[in-house]
């Protein structure tokens, strides 16, 4: 039913009727104690989840999530809770979740067939690791190639071991030169600082001018480009290259 003053809170946040006069609803990915939660989550071969939304008004079956990852399933539950609490038709909610494609350069899906190509803005070790672990969960058991463009000399200098540890979670790494942005070069700081500590055998430095031809020579399964520099200039050419292979 429609309410005028409502708080939608993640289940577990210490919030009670003593804290507010608004009606409190909780959401969670899969805790059944939450007012809004997912049941019967299914992961398809294309990496997308479908789930049933359990909510105070009943169960909304077979919601296909247009964005990738379990995190976005939970995000869709929160969004659905806001909509349903304010009178939006349940079928429109299902349609919206299925057609929303997410934010640009955040697990941004460009090719998804026999081969997959995803682009992500991750440029800090923690978010790089989080994105890679998410992709591992989305495409379990598949071979992942990461193309990473380090951003800033200082960040590379300060976090090279952490970058290497994160990139060691994939199966193959193509490492570009550092994108300097606003910085001048620092003596002794280049992408080799990261490369030397990556524990994979399948790792290499690749120049920007040879990246497309190098990818063209690989039989990629899941390919991901990472970085906050000008690596986004390769998105369309890579997508076109891999899409042609699907034909």
């Amino acid at each position: 039913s429609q309410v005028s003053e409502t708080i939608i809170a993640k289940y577990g946040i210490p919030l009670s009727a003593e804290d507010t006069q608004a009606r409190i609803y909780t959401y969670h990915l899969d805790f059944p104690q939450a007012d809004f939660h997912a049941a019967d989550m299914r992961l398809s071969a294309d990496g997308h989840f479908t789930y049933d939304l359990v909510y105070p008004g009943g169960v909304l079956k077979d919601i296909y999530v247009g964005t990738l990852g379990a995190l976005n399933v939970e995000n869709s539950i929160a969004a659905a809770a806001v909509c349903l609490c304010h009178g939006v038709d349940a079928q429109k909610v299902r349609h919206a979740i299925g057609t929303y494609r997410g934010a640009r350069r955040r697990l941004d899906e460009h090719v998804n067939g026999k081969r997959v190509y995803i682009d992500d803005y991750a440029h800090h070790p923690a978010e790089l690791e989080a994105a890679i672990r998410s992709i591992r969960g989305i495409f379990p058991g598949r071979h992942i190639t990461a193309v990473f463009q380090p951003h800033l000399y200082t960040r590379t200098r300060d976090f090279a071991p952490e970058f290497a540890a994160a990139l060691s979670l994939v199966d193959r790494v193509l490492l570009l030169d550092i994108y300097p942005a606003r910085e001048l070069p620092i003596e002794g700081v280049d992408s080799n600082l990261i490369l030397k500590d990556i524990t994979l055998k399948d790792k290499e430095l690749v120049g920007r001018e040879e990246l497309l031809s190098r990818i063209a020579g690989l039989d990629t399964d899941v390919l991901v480009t990472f970085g906050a520099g000008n690596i986004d200039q390769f998105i369309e050419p890579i997508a076109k290259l891999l899409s042609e292979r699907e034909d």
Side-chain angles (χ1 to χ4, degrees), residues 113-148:
K114 180 181 177 182
R115 291 176 177 84
V116 173
Y117 171 43
I118 294 169
D119 174 67
D120 195 273
Y121 188 71
H123 57 286
H124 183 278
E127 63 179 1
L128 183 63
E129 179 180 345
I132 291 171
R133 289 191 183 280
S134 183
I135 292 165
R136 277 283 183 214
I138 293 165
F139 299 105
R142 297 184 65 171
H143 185 281
I144 300 174
T145 299
V147 181
F148 179 56

Side-chain angles (χ1 to χ4, degrees), residues 20-89:
T20 177
Q21 293 182 354
R23 174 69 167 90
I24 300 170
Y25 287 101
T26 59
Y27 75 93
H28 194 276
L29 177 62
D30 53 8
F31 280 9
Q33 299 93 330
D35 298 309
F36 295 81
H37 64 271
D40 192 22
M41 285 177 56
R42 293 92 77 191
L43 180 63
S44 60
D46 66 0
H48 288 263
F49 281 99
T50 300
Y51 69 95
D52 299 339
L53 175 64
V54 180
Y55 68 107
V59 179
L60 184 57
K61 303 280 286 186
D62 300 328
I63 299 177
Y64 174 85
V65 184
T67 47
L68 295 169
L71 174 63
N72 282 318
V73 174
E74 187 168 71
N75 288 342
S76 76
I77 293 169
V82 172
C83 293
L84 293 169
C85 282
H86 290 83
V88 178
D89 178 75

Side-chain angles (χ1 to χ4, degrees), residues 148-170:
F148 179 56
Q149 182 187 49
H151 187 261
L152 300 179
Y153 293 103
T154 52
R155 184 178 290 125
T156 303
R157 178 196 64 196
D158 295 344
F159 295 107
E162 291 85 354
F163 279 123
L167 290 167
S168 296
L169 298 172
V170 302

Side-chain angles (χ1 to χ4, degrees), residues 147-150 174-178 191 206-208 211 231 234:
V147 181
F148 179 56
Q149 182 187 49
L174 305 181
L175 195 59
L176 295 174
D177 292 333
I178 297 170
S191 292
V206 181
R208 279 179 55 84
L211 178 60
I231 193 170
F234 287 100

